């Protein structure tokens, strides 16, 4: 088991009242899983992802990664744990604008330094066909290149879990295919991917699909 | 990849924000170092001014003393030694002594261990008829001063008249239509007019000064004199009885009359000149001290104000920077950076700003300080004195402290931002 959500609930305070977003959601991802969560805007997809990544504590329920209760850890230890075990990919890429591609890919090393990371970064840059762009800043890259760079960054520390929030929302078909292909390879390599998306193209790549609506998750068969 | 690199890259990216903060630090450090340099310059300048003033006053005092010396020599001498049997009533009415004494007396006095006398001037004075001009004049025979043998040589108070020359009083010269260099016959002797004295308003104006030997010949009194003018020690307010006793002990056949007030006035004048000089120096010193206090007060008010303003400005800029980088903070948190690391990303930036601003501020202050020192002192000596390396060190530490103070709260706010909230908004 890589990721497990047990009875997770979350609500936000809004205008003096509580607005429930997730209600008693349970989910499990094992090695090799590539799961797409679909849902309308505001259905709580991003909230689910943030809770799964240890960035947003649920009101109720437990989140375990590799058997470790994520919110049992103190914030700093949880951050370190996240660096080691979770990779994030965002729709807006969120590359650091003043760093080069190489430096962006190496950014997680600031949180979790280790040996051989420079070589690992070079491999990822090559794998995502960014070798010629290694010393360029994000503003000098195409949209597809930016997302590939963000993907390389997410994979630097060899996480077991990849959390992706609409990663292909801004990409053309070719670049979206590259991203989905990378997710598949990651899952094939023993990792797990949790993808929240509107993109219908994801359905062709995800091995399982879930729908999030009314705070509940249901499988799409 | 390291935090330092991240900080430096970010600084390179947002140059304006960093530059504005840097500028405020440079201004703050510049004002601190400048204030200290200003006070130091003030002190050095004060020293220069006072030293210069002291030298000027010393010179002025010496000139003044010399002036007094010359003035008083025209007015007379301190004591006059007359033959013992001279009737003083007659002396005062005739202005000269009718009784005589040997010229040798002056040498006896000069060789004696007398300590109150500095100058000795023997003379032979008598009212005579100037037959060639048909008028009465006062003929005075003088010679060069007789040095007091045990005392240090003194600058003569009166120039002797060379043999063959005559010095005429103002009225005599004017009425006879004579000027320096003219030939004149006096009692059958042809003499050259050495100079015409300026008007003095006394009997000197109708006097003619000739060499003592000539006067003795003309008056038929060889080896004789009727007065010895003597000047008392300059500084001593020595009492006359003591001087008189000392002289009459050496020359029992003489009497001493006072030409008082003159030496006294001279000594007092000198004393007053010295006192004025001292007061003037003190006044200058007080003025400089007052000015320094004013400058100190200004610096004490201005420097903390500038430092506080710089800290506030840096805080504002750092807050703007943290706000601009909200997403970046959230992403850094998402990739696993701890809040303490985020804090250091921002706090380190503030420290870098402080360090760079401090070094730049000190460098600028040094350059300006050196230039100012050159302008002020017109030399090279003041350079190092104006710029104090210790103060620069304190300013550098102060710059870092100001940046830390200004940057701490924004850095803390940045580190406490909720990444989930930001990412959800995105």
């Amino acid at each position: 088991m890589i990721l497990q959500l047990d009875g997770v609930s979350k609500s936000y305070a809004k205008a003096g009242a509580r607005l429930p977003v997730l209600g008693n959601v349970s989910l499990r991802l094992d090695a090799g899983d590539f799961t797409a969560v679909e849902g309308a805007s505001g259905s709580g997809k991003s909230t689910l992802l943030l809770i799964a990544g240890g960035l947003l504590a649920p009101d109720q329920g437990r989140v375990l990664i590799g058997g470790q209760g994520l919110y049992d850890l103190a914030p700093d230890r949880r951050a370190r744990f996240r660096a080691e075990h979770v990779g994030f990919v965002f729709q807006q890429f969120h590359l650091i604008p003043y760093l080069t591609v190489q430096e962006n890919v190496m950014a997680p090393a600031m949180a979790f330094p280790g040996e051989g990371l420079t070589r690992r970064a070079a491999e990822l840059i090559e794998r995502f066909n960014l070798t010629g762009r290694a010393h360029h800043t994000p503003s000098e890259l195409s949209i597809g290149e930016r997302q590939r760079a963000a993907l390389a960054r997410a994979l630097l520390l060899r996480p077991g879990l990849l959390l992706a929030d609409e990663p292909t929302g801004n990409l053309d078909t070719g670049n979206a295919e590259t991203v989905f292909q990378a997710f598949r390879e990651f899952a094939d390599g023993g990792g797990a991917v949790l993808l929240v998306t509107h993109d219908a193209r994801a359905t062709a790549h995800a091995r399982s699909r879930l729908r999030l609506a009314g705070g509940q998750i249901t499988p799409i068969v | 990849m390291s935090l330092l690199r991240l900080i430096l890259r970010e600084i390179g990216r947002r140059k304006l924000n960093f530059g504005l903060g840097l500028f405020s630090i440079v201004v703050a450090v510049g004002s601190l170092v400048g204030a200290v340099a200003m006070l130091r310059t003030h002190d050095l300048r004060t020293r220069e001014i006072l030293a210069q003033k002291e030298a000027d006053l010393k010179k002025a005092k010496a000139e003044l003393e010399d002036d007094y010396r010359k003035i008083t020599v025209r007015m007379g001498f301190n004591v006059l030694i007359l033959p013992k049997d001279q009737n003083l009533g007659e002396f005062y009415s005739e202005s000269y002594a009718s009784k005589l004494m040997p010229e040798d007396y002056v040498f006896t006095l000069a060789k004696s261990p007398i300590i109150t006398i500095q100058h000795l001037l023997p003379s032979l004075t008598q009212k005579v008829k100037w037959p060639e001009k048909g008028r009465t004049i006062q003929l005075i025979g003088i010679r060069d001063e007789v040095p007091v043998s045990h005392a240090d040589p003194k600058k003569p108070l009166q120039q002797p008249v060379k043999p063959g020359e005559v010095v005429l009083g103002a009225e005599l010269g004017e009425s006879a239509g004579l000027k320096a260099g003219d030939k004149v016959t006096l009692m059958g002797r042809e003499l050259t007019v050495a100079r015409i004295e300026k008007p003095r308003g006394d009997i000197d104006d109708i006097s003619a000064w000739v060499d003592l030997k000539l006067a003795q010949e003309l008056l038929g009194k060889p080896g004789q004199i009727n007065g010895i003018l003597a000047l008392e020690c300059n500084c001593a307010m020595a009492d006359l009885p003591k001087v008189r006793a000392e002289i009459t002990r050496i020359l029992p056949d003489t009497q001493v009359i006072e030409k008082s007030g003159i030496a006294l006035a001279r000594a007092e004048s000198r004393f007053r000149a010295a006192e004025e000089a001292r007061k003037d120096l003190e006044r200058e010193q007080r003025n400089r001290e007052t000015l320094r206090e004013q400058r100190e007060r200004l610096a004490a008010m201005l420097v903390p104000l500038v430092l506080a303003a710089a800290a506030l400005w840096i805080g504002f800029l750092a807050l703007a920077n943290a706000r601009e980088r909200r997403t970046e903070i959230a992403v850094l948190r998402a990739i696993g950076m701890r809040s303490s690391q985020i804090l250091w990303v921002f706090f380190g930036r503030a420290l870098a700003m402080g360090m760079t601003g401090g070094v730049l501020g000190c460098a600028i202050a040094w350059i300006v300080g050196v230039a100012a020192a050159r302008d002020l002192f017109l030399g090279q000596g003041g350079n190092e004195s104006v710029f104090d390396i210790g103060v620069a060190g304190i300013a550098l530490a102060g710059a870092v402290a100001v940046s830390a103070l200004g940057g701490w709260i924004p850095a803390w706010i940045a580190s406490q931002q909720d990444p989930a909230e930001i990412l959800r908004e995105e």
Side-chain angles (χ1 to χ4, degrees), chain B residues 8 30 44 100 147 164 176 197 205 208 261 282 286 297-299 313 329-330 346 361 384 390:
Chain B
L8 295 177
L44 290 172
L100 300 170
E197 290 288 356
D205 288 348
E282 282 175 1
R286 273 201 302 276
R297 273 202 297 275
L298 179 72
W313 178 237
I329 294 164
F346 285 84
E384 288 75 20

Side-chain angles (χ1 to χ4, degrees), chain A residues 8-23 42-52 55-59 71 212, chain B residues 418-425:
Chain A
V8 168
S9 296
K10 183 70 184 176
S11 62
Y12 295 115
K14 194 170 185 182
R18 301 298 298 181
L19 178 71
V21 178
L22 298 176
S43 61
K45 299 190 300 293
S46 294
T47 298
L48 177 71
L49 216 60
L50 293 171
I51 289 172
L55 287 167
L56 183 64
D59 298 337
Y71 294 96
L212 182 58
Chain B
D418 183 357
E421 193 182 326
I422 299 163
L423 291 172
R424 274 198 313 117
E425 284 172 12

Side-chain angles (χ1 to χ4, degrees), chain B residues 387-401:
Chain B
F387 186 80
D388 189 304
I389 196 78
V391 173
I394 292 169
L396 200 61
V400 175

Side-chain angles (χ1 to χ4, degrees), chain A residues 4-219:
Chain A
Q4 186 171 342
L5 274 68
D6 282 337
V8 168
S9 296
K10 183 70 184 176
S11 62
Y12 295 115
K14 194 170 185 182
R18 301 298 298 181
L19 178 71
V21 178
L22 298 176
N24 199 28
V25 169
S26 292
L27 177 71
R28 179 186 168 111
L29 263 68
D30 291 309
D33 283 349
F34 177 4
T35 300
V37 179
E38 298 172 24
S41 287
S43 61
K45 299 190 300 293
S46 294
T47 298
L48 177 71
L49 216 60
L50 293 171
I51 289 172
L55 287 167
L56 183 64
D59 298 337
Q60 284 181 349
R62 292 196 78 204
V63 179
L64 292 97
I65 292 178
Q68 171 66 54
L70 206 49
Y71 294 96
D72 297 339
L73 297 170
D76 275 0
R77 286 204 59 195
R78 187 163 68 243
R80 194 176 167 82
F81 185 87
R82 181 166 58 244
E84 193 179 2
H85 295 282
V86 183
F88 276 97
V89 183
F90 305 97
Q91 182 180 2
Q92 301 297 334
F93 327 126
H94 292 325
L95 293 169
I96 296 170
Y98 47 85
L99 298 182
T100 63
V101 167
Q102 188 188 33
E103 289 165 340
N104 264 292
V105 173
M106 284 292 287
M110 289 187 287
F112 197 83
E115 283 190 11
L117 291 179
T118 308
R119 201 174 63 201
R120 166 80 175 152
E123 284 168 6
L124 288 167
I125 286 167
E126 191 181 348
R127 177 181 159 193
F128 289 108
N129 201 21
L130 291 167
T131 309
R133 299 294 204 171
H135 300 293
H136 289 222
T137 55
S139 62
E140 297 167 326
L141 303 179
S142 68
I143 300 293
E145 286 168 336
R146 289 180 201 181
Q147 191 58 296
R148 296 205 303 270
L151 204 51
R153 179 180 66 187
L155 297 173
L156 180 80
L157 298 177
R158 299 178 196 277
L161 176 65
L162 208 53
L163 300 173
D165 190 356
E166 301 277 10
T168 55
N170 291 326
L171 300 184
D172 59 26
T173 306
N175 280 309
E177 281 300 316
T178 305
V179 172
F180 289 134
Q181 185 60 37
F183 287 162
R184 283 179 66 99
E185 286 173 13
F186 177 75
D188 290 344
V193 179
L194 181 62
L195 166 72
V196 297
T197 185
H198 280 118
D199 195 341
R201 292 173 295 190
T203 56
H205 296 277
R207 288 178 182 145
S208 60
R209 294 166 63 204
L210 301 171
R211 181 177 306 283
L212 182 58
Q216 300 296 315
I217 277 193
T218 51

Side-chain angles (χ1 to χ4, degrees), chain B residues 105-366:
Chain B
Y105 274 19
V106 73
F107 299 109
T108 306
L109 202 56
K111 286 173 190 164
S112 72
I114 190 163
I115 56 166
T116 51
I117 300 298
Q118 297 294 324
H119 302 269
L120 291 171
L121 188 65
S123 64
L124 178 62
T125 306
Q126 191 176 321
K127 276 186 188 157
V128 295
K129 198 85 178 171
W130 188 352
E132 289 82 358
K133 299 289 180 188
R135 60 174 296 179
T136 300
I137 61 168
Q138 180 171 256
L139 183 69
I140 305 171
I142 56 170
R143 53 156 292 167
D144 51 335
E145 288 183 22
V146 178
V148 178
S149 61
H150 65 85
D152 294 334
K154 296 281 184 278
K155 190 177 174 183
L157 282 169
Q158 187 163 309
Q159 295 301 313
V161 181
K162 291 177 186 166
E165 288 185 349
V166 62
V167 174
L168 298 174
E171 199 279 327
L172 272 188
E174 192 184 333
S175 61
L178 294 168
K179 59 183 188 300
D182 286 352
K183 299 288 183 190
V184 65
T185 306
L186 175 64
M187 299 171 79
R189 297 293 180 94
E190 188 172 282
L191 302 168
T192 303
V193 177
R195 65 179 183 275
I196 309 293
E197 290 288 356
K198 286 179 182 166
R200 295 177 188 173
D202 58 20
I203 197 165
D204 281 355
D205 288 348
I206 58 161
S207 297
W209 289 268
V210 296
D211 176 55
L212 180 60
K213 286 277 178 241
L214 177 61
Q216 287 168 340
E217 275 178 44
L218 291 174
L219 298 173
K221 293 165 182 171
Q224 298 290 303
I225 57 175
N226 57 4
I228 300 170
L229 299 168
L231 182 64
E232 192 187 358
C233 168
N234 291 338
C235 56
M237 302 278 188
D239 55 308
L240 186 67
K242 187 181 169 190
V243 179
R244 185 178 284 146
E246 199 173 15
I247 292 171
T248 52
R249 186 171 46 79
I250 298 159
L251 300 172
D253 287 341
T254 62
Q255 58 178 320
V256 178
I257 63 167
E258 185 185 5
K259 292 273 186 180
S260 69
I262 294 160
L264 204 62
R266 188 174 161 189
E268 278 175 358
S269 297
R270 285 179 177 178
F271 181 73
R272 269 201 305 277
E275 188 65 12
E276 269 309 304
R278 191 181 58 77
K279 280 182 182 167
D280 197 38
L281 259 180
E282 282 175 1
R283 261 198 304 275
E284 185 65 35
Q285 209 156 10
R286 273 201 302 276
N287 287 344
R288 297 294 299 177
E289 278 168 9
T290 308
L291 190 61
R292 194 189 199 283
E293 279 168 17
Q294 285 170 352
R295 286 178 171 174
E296 227 172 43
R297 273 202 297 275
L298 179 72
M301 196 175 65
L302 201 66
V303 170
L305 210 66
V306 171
L307 291 179
L312 273 175
W313 178 237
I314 287 167
F316 170 76
L317 290 170
L319 209 58
N321 182 258
R323 186 152 185 82
E324 191 183 350
R325 295 168 68 189
R326 284 177 82 236
T327 307
E328 182 190 323
I329 294 164
V331 171
L332 290 172
R333 292 299 301 275
I335 63 173
M337 275 178 72
R338 299 181 293 282
S339 57
S340 58
Q341 286 180 300
I342 301 290
L343 189 138
W344 272 106
V345 166
F346 285 84
F347 195 56
R349 183 181 188 275
L351 292 183
M353 189 185 283
M355 289 286 280
T356 315
V359 169
L360 269 177
C362 286
I364 291 169
W366 184 76

